[in-house]
Amino acid sequence: MPKHAALEERLRDALGADAVVTDEAARRTYDCDGLTHYRVTPAVVVLPADAAQVQATVKICREFGVPFVARGSGTGLSGGALPVADGVLIVTSRMRRILSVDLPNGRAVVEPGVVNLAISKAVADEGYFYAPDPSSQLICSIGGNVAENSGGAHCVKYGFTVHHVTGLELCTPDGELVRLGGGLAAEAPGYDLVGVVVGSEGTLGIATKVAVKLLRSPEAVTTMLAAFRTVADAGAATSAIIAAGLTPAAAEIMDALAIRAAEKAVRCSYPEGAGAVLVVECDGPAAEVAAEQAEVVRLCHEAGAFEVRVAADADERAEIWRGRKSAFAAVGRISPNYIVQDGVIPRTALGPVLAEIDAMAGRAGIRVANVFHAGDGNLHPLVLYDAAKPGEYDAAEEVSGAILDLCVSYGGSITGEHGVGVDKATKLPRMFSPDDLDTMQLVRCAFDPHGAANPGKVFPTPRLCGESPRPRSASEMLPAGIEQW
Amino acid sequence: MVDALPALAAACGDGLARAAGPDDGVAGVPARWVAAPATAADVAAVLRVAAEHDLVVVPRGSGTKLDWGRPPSTVDVVLDTGRLSGVFAHTPGDLVATVGAGTPLRAFQEALAPAGQRLALDGATPDSTVGGALATGEAGPLRLRFGAGRDLLIGVEFARADGVLARAGGQVVKNVAGYDLGKLLCGSYGTLGIITSATFRLHPVPAARSWICRPVATPGEVRDVVADLLVAPVAPGAVEVDLPAANPAPDNGSAGSGTVAVLIEGTPDGVAARAEAVARLLGPEASTVDKPPEWWGRYPFGAGDIALKLVMPIAEQHAAVYALHDAAGVPVPVRGSAGTGVLFAALPGDTPADRVTAVLDAVRGVLVGRGGSCVVLSAPPAVRDAVDLWGPVPGLDLMRRVKDQFDPRRRLSPGRFVGGL
């Protein structure tokens, strides 16, 4: 009898045969997320249809003492959805219902498998949108965004997922479905558990319903592209814009190598001879945007821009963004392989940090293309290598790791939006002391004393939890059957 | 019982620990000692002494909201955070600053002002310390645009109940490394740890500001006006309402003594155009002023009142306010952030407890189906001890488990928070 036969049978009973994937070849298609050099084939894959089936799955996992990992669209870049060999992979791709849209209250409640962009699309005609816009928004799921606290190009103005999620239904690692947060309301009494679950990378349970804010679409949007001779000048322009008190909706920089890759891939026709381009977008009331646009253009020229383009319409805006949005994939045109890094520095340290990255790459004999969210100091160095050439991967890996050290040494972070996952768990101690990490894991022990939810992620060393939590008492639960939102 | 004073004095330095006086009680519970450590390490040392002697510790900033929540079951040590003050770091170019938890918000804002920056947190008690404002989750009108303290806090250092110092978050605006414990501490009423310093995302002080006011008579009218404002492309910085008790909602269509006020912030040209658009929207009775109305950002309650906080879906506020008016049977002043659905109300302090319970039941009854909460922030002891201050708390069992992990011996402000935490 196969090792997991009894587990598989229980799952089939609970979810139906078509929701349980046991065939090895089929399971292997789920062996990695967007970070493809970590691969583990899960013991079983399940595709629950709703919250009740997620709950049933987690309870069965609990009963069999096997861990589980949640996966949305699998676009994560830190291995957060990397399966566990003996565990169950819970894929939310069948949970794609937008459960309710409440425009007067500015909220939607969605299932975790709903694709990020689908929310904005559902309410665009009424003049609303969902603000967090990770680059993968065409495919990434809200459940994954909640796990990773995803950002996006516009988070410099609008904030991250945690600022836009007001309530969760969470399937706890014990298999309880719990409502957290205010939902339609701004907050609920008690600890801000939504605030700590968002960004916990699937280690505190699985979000089965997500209440998100819907914002009014801005009246006007203006997108500008400024070309500079050097990245330092582009960085200085960004600083000047921020220092002037402007709040651009996005401020993105690409360096010469990234521009070259984008030109090859999508012919974005950025100004010839640019050592860096800065894309700035402002949005809001038309009168405000007009004032901001004039100021941004002026500040870019002052910082040494040799050409500034202002998109005249939506097509031209898309044209400007095309190069930036294609940058990661485009790097494949100039290098057979590359590592996408994600680190954060204080914005004011941009110049020296980029110079040091350049020097490190030079010493290692490899190239680094830089694409970054300049408004908030979030770097995405693309470390290029050729896997076919001996030693190049190791050199790239080393530079990539050194970039994180550099970020930390400037008071920054090892991840701005991709998460720690499995990839950076061993690097977390560069930012936090053992006491810090131990304290964070008190939360883990409260939610998941058995370490069943996404084990091996985030923390380099799991904390042994003390005594089991006290048994729950029914009287503490919310009245049954009452929909809070 | 053991005299812990020498040990407390040793932990926080000579002269910084003393026997408590009558004014040091917390919500009527007398304290035994007061410790005022001057560094985070000394806060941790005080907590280690408390752990060793099994003492209950209640943190105190300016003491402006010390009577919020339930009284702690006992108070051995009042940990005064007043000496944990000062701006430790401020990089204007990064719009980030780190400040001691005992720093009054007013002093913090004054320190940021020369750089043309501010912390976009404008709760109704500016004399509150940074730590106190965070721990009670206090936010003001700017919440509509910038969120609450939890949204502006990017890094935190705090002392655990066992006297271990821990940090979470960092010094940069964008950071997803590790659990965000800062959010957990915001609004935790000092029951999980004692915040020693906080790092915030700052915002530029806007170049121009305008307030547009318009009289309103009824909660229903407020709803309609707010709905129009939130749909209009004017990006308000705040939308506040004031419904004084003198206007007990006469449903006769006459302009009452209530007011809706809208804050517009931005560039001078932008603000002028947007303020004009708001004024047009609000109709002929609207007036545009360059100063906030006198009630702006202030609570409608005073000392001795029963202070309520209502958090509701924006479009459902009128229902809760009507229920409040109807059940109270007396004029009830209501004020707050209509744009975010966070309102405050005051019941007379001499309202009998059973009457208060009836009011809470009525308002919560309306809110249960719609989402939302009605919390009693503070009340005279006779009422406070007799009513359910918090109402239903989603996720209370998980909260208990969190408390059990962070403070298993229940030494930090025990009993003050939801569910007796």
Side-chain angles (χ1 to χ4, degrees), chain A residues 105 187 203 288 413 439 476, chain B residues 160 175 179 267 274 315 400:
Chain A
N105 285 310
E187 61 181 43
T203 60
E288 203 66 61
S413 171
T439 306
E476 290 170 6
Chain B
R160 295 192 329 210
N175 173 19
Y179 289 170
T267 60
R274 290 156 64 202
R400 278 188 202 290

Side-chain angles (χ1 to χ4, degrees), chain B residues 39-417:
Chain B
T39 65
D42 290 351
V43 173
V46 167
L47 287 169
R48 284 196 297 276
V49 169
E52 209 172 297
H53 294 84
D54 205 19
L55 305 176
V56 163
V57 180
V58 177
R60 177 178 77 194
S62 305
T64 52
K65 295 175 288 291
L66 210 52
D67 62 343
W68 283 23
R70 283 206 181 286
S73 51
T74 54
V75 183
D76 295 311
V77 182
V78 167
L79 195 148
D80 183 327
T81 62
R83 286 172 200 276
L84 300 166
S85 73
V87 178
F88 302 150
H90 176 207
T91 323
D94 293 323
L95 286 153
V96 166
T98 300
V99 62
T103 313
L105 275 173
R106 191 191 299 277
F108 186 34
Q109 302 286 18
E110 280 164 9
L112 300 172
Q117 299 182 355
R118 64 174 172 176
L119 174 66
L121 187 64
D122 57 347
T125 50
D127 292 318
S128 165
T129 59
V130 165
L134 291 176
T136 52
E138 195 176 42
L142 289 176
R143 179 178 188 152
L144 176 62
R145 176 80 190 276
F146 300 100
R150 57 95 82 176
D151 301 304
L152 298 165
L153 182 71
I154 59 172
V156 68
E157 181 192 58
F158 66 102
R160 295 192 329 210
D162 60 359
V164 168
L165 276 181
R167 288 176 313 125
Q171 313 292 314
V172 284
V173 166
K174 199 171 182 186
N175 173 19
V176 294
Y179 289 170
D180 194 348
L181 299 181
K183 297 217 169 33
L184 199 55
L185 292 164
C186 285
S188 69
Y189 280 70
T191 59
L192 292 178
I194 296 179
I195 300 170
T196 53
S197 69
T199 303
F200 289 103
R201 170 181 197 171
L202 307 175
H203 288 89
V205 174
R209 255 184 277 216
S210 258
W211 284 262
I212 305 94
C213 303
R214 180 209 131 134
V216 287
T218 66
E221 193 183 354
V222 173
R223 173 203 52 199
D224 295 343
V225 168
V226 170
D228 288 349
L229 280 166
L230 295 181
V231 170
V234 292
V239 177
E240 296 282 298
V241 64
D242 178 45
L243 291 172
N247 173 35
D251 230 331
N252 59 9
S254 71
S257 59
T259 311
V260 165
V262 182
L263 167 65
I264 297 291
E265 300 186 329
T267 60
D269 290 351
V271 167
R274 290 156 64 202
E276 210 182 297
V278 171
R280 255 196 321 273
L281 189 89
L282 293 183
E285 290 179 292
S287 59
T288 302
V289 288
D290 58 3
K291 270 205 308 263
E294 165 278 324
W295 51 268
W296 182 268
R298 293 170 193 248
Y299 291 129
F301 43 78
D305 284 341
I306 298 164
L308 304 181
K309 179 181 185 183
L310 293 90
V311 184
M312 303 147 294
I314 306 159
E316 314 285 349
Q317 297 173 74
H318 60 293
V321 175
Y322 279 126
L324 176 67
H325 280 153
D326 291 348
V330 291
V332 181
V334 173
R335 192 183 282 165
S337 300
T340 53
V342 181
L343 300 181
F344 300 93
L347 294 175
D350 58 2
T351 312
D354 54 352
R355 187 83 190 174
V356 177
T357 296
V359 169
L360 294 173
D361 285 350
V363 176
R364 286 170 185 161
V366 165
L367 291 174
V368 156
R370 295 172 160 88
S373 58
C374 176
V375 167
V376 181
L377 294 174
S378 70
V383 170
R384 184 189 61 204
D385 297 344
V387 306
D388 175 1
L389 298 186
W390 311 96
V393 179
L396 183 58
D397 182 61
L398 278 172
M399 293 175 195
R400 278 188 202 290
R401 295 203 211 172
V402 170
K403 171 74 174 177
D404 285 347
Q405 289 291 330
F406 277 78
D407 183 19
R409 302 297 305 272
R410 298 176 49 78
R411 289 198 198 97
L412 293 177
S413 309
R416 199 174 165 196
F417 200 39

